[in-house]
Amino acid sequence: MNILLLGSGGREDALAWRIRQSPSCEALIAAPGNPGIARWAQCVAIDPADPAAVVALARASDIALVVVGPEAPLVAGVADALRAAGIAVFGPSAAAAQLEGSKGFTKDLCRANAIPTAAYVRTESREAARAALGAFSLPVVLKADGLAAGKGVVIATTADEAEQAIEAVGEGPMVIEAFLEGEEASLFSLVDGETCVALASAQDHKRVGEGDTGPNTGGMGAYSPAPVLTAELEQRAMDEIVRPTARAMAAAGMPFSGVLYAGLMLTDEGPKLIEYNVRFGDPECEAIMPRIEGDFAELLHAVASGRLGEVAAPELSASHAMTVIVAARGYPGTPASGGAIRAVESAEAVEGVTVFHAGTAQAEAGLVARGGRVLAVTALGKTLAQARARAYRAIDQIDFADGFHRRDIGWRELERQEA
Ligand code: AMP
Ligand code: GLY
């Protein structure tokens, strides 16, 4: 079949690489793609969040499956437009994408279905937020919601910090919730209506600095699997969180289709939901794709066409994968743009290594940086320690004067293993 992939980051480079190797993939088009994706796909420069443009491209190219990488096209209703045009799409409707877009929606769904999550209150004004604080002990977690979102999450350890967070959000909607203690892990499941299949676990590193310090980023590195999410805990997360969510969404007339990314806190009482995303994580996707065996494109097509329950469960290798992000100096602030990148081929010559492109451009003189996260250097190994050794050996081959990376990806798990 002919497949169209939407997006232009490291996540999409990893998806393109895996899809291209699937026996059922005859041709792969990416929109808009990037220089890394151009190794596996024909890139077409359209806006992936423009439903009419995506439908037109899919029709013109005889596309049997559209795979949506990022959330923006989903929120813009691209999956709805494709379904209305009779084209199979891997990715949820705009209504189901509320699981990511609205924290309040997801919290209310959890409460109504007894899904384990932090206790919370939704507020609409500063006054209401101040009044609600009384019911929480410190630390307390404050999140902007709805249109005012994107200001991040504040974990306030003092009443003053909580007040500052309320001031910063202004009069908009907020979710105030109890602080959960534990280690975080992500669980990625394929969901087709009420059918849910666990795909893989991973752990991300959101802070820019080593030892998980400094400002938050989109993610500086990841590894998969996350052994902290044991088979028993994964089963509980599927039974207590993911499946009840899929059932509730179907019952509400918004059946979910695609990949559901559950951000979990592993507490003393078991896994609790922190948040959902309705797409693959970036860089988690780069660490998961190399572990997938079998015909991945066919699996995505099964989800997209409502046949997940009829096909074999996903096959994952027993290997461990680690992705280390190489970012441009200045990220997550204003990143240095245009820095030359050389010797990526030498990095890829290291056994088990693939270098995915997150933010690169092809200049006349060669590859240059474009954007914050530039490369996602990914290595497979028999153990996490071997994957780490290979990933850093590969990074050390790369000549990118304007770049930086964290040297400690995987530290929590590796420390546990060494203890
Ligand atoms: P979110 O945008 O909801 O994913 O939150 C971003 C990060 O804030 C999460 O990855 C957690 O590290 C942290 N966080 C969010 N909610 C809580 C909570 N209730 N308890 C502890 N940490 C939280
Ligand atoms: N790596 C976190 C995310 O994709 O949201």
Side-chain angles (χ1 to χ4, degrees):
M1 60 185 155
N2 297 342
I3 300 174
L4 169 61
L5 171 69
L6 302 182
S8 62
R11 165 181 49 211
E12 288 76 28
D13 193 6
L15 286 168
W17 172 82
R18 181 82 284 163
I19 289 169
R20 184 64 264 185
Q21 294 171 61
S22 304
S24 65
C25 174
E26 280 164 49
L28 180 61
I29 296 179
N34 72 28
I37 295 170
R39 296 174 293 179
W40 340 109
Q42 179 201 341
C43 296
V44 179
I46 63 153
D47 175 2
D50 177 346
V54 172
V55 170
L57 175 60
R59 284 214 171 106
S61 310
D62 197 18
I63 294 296
L65 171 67
V66 179
V67 179
V68 186
E71 61 274 29
L74 299 169
V75 172
V78 164
D80 303 80
L82 286 162
R83 281 197 188 94
I87 300 163
V89 51
F90 181 84
S93 66
Q98 287 182 88
L99 282 175
E100 174 164 353
S102 168
K103 293 179 190 294
F105 172 87
T106 300
K107 295 298 281 190
D108 289 352
L109 181 130
C110 287
R111 180 178 282 164
N113 295 279
I115 293 168
T117 190
Y120 72 101
V121 174
R122 291 178 77 170
T123 60
E124 297 293 335
S125 69
R126 282 200 181 99
E127 255 339 284
R130 286 190 189 104
L133 272 182
F136 293 88
S137 54
L138 294 170
V140 60
V141 184
L142 300 107
K143 304 179 178 184
D145 197 12
L147 293 176
K151 285 182 189 149
V153 171
V154 174
I155 298 175
T157 51
T158 65
D160 265 1
E161 282 172 20
E163 174 56 31
Q164 280 166 27
I166 291 170
E167 269 307 311
V169 169
E171 285 301 323
M174 287 186 82
V175 173
I176 302 178
E177 59 182 61
F179 179 77
L180 295 174
E181 228 156 322
E183 189 164 339
E184 288 184 61
S186 302
L187 176 60
F188 294 85
S189 306
L190 298 176
V191 178
D192 157 20
E194 296 192 35
T195 308
C196 303
V197 177
L199 182 66
S201 64
Q203 213 169 27
D204 186 15
H205 299 63
K206 286 188 175 139
R207 303 298 194 96
V208 73
E210 288 176 7
D212 295 327
T213 55
N216 264 317
T217 70
M220 292 299 292
Y223 60 91
S224 176
V228 65
L229 190 70
T230 60
E232 187 207 330
L233 290 177
E234 178 177 302
Q235 187 65 50
R236 279 189 67 179
M238 291 302 293
D239 292 344
E240 298 171 16
I241 299 174
V242 177
R243 276 195 196 91
T245 299
R247 271 198 298 271
M249 292 299 286
M254 303 179 258
F256 189 92
S257 171
V259 58
L260 188 59
Y261 159 175
L264 303 173
M265 189 68 87
L266 306 180
T267 74
D268 290 344
E269 296 166 1
K272 295 193 180 185
L273 182 73
I274 300 173
E275 61 154 359
Y276 276 130
N277 295 122
V278 299
R279 49 169 176 85
F280 278 108
D282 191 351
E284 294 94 323
C285 187
E286 290 94 308
I288 292 171
M289 287 305 124
R291 297 184 52 226
I292 292 182
E293 296 179 339
D295 193 329
F296 186 58
E298 176 44 33
L299 187 61
L300 298 179
H301 190 252
V303 174
S305 50
R307 294 181 293 108
L308 179 59
E310 297 161 28
V311 299
E315 297 165 47
L316 261 77
S317 77
S319 322
H320 294 254
M322 182 180 288
T323 297
V324 181
I325 292 290
V326 181
R329 219 171 283 290
Y331 180 73
T334 309
S337 194
I341 307 162
R342 293 185 202 89
V344 170
E345 323 73 58
S346 312
E348 290 195 299
V350 175
E351 191 179 351
V353 169
T354 310
V355 178
F356 297 115
H357 292 219
T360 65
Q362 199 68 58
E364 244 170 64
L367 204 61
V368 297
R370 174 190 60 86
R373 294 188 291 177
V374 178
L375 300 172
V377 178
T378 299
L380 271 177
K382 284 200 190 73
T383 61
L384 185 59
Q386 187 181 47
R388 169 180 59 176
R390 288 173 169 177
Y392 284 111
R393 205 180 316 141
I395 282 193
D396 291 340
Q397 306 296 315
I398 297 173
D399 174 5
F400 175 30
D402 271 350
F404 76 96
H405 60 276
R406 275 179 62 167
R407 290 301 288 188
D408 66 342
I409 301 305
W411 67 273
R412 278 177 212 280
E413 183 56 32
L414 290 158
E415 258 179 21
R416 238 189 313 266
Q417 291 180 7
E418 281 155 16

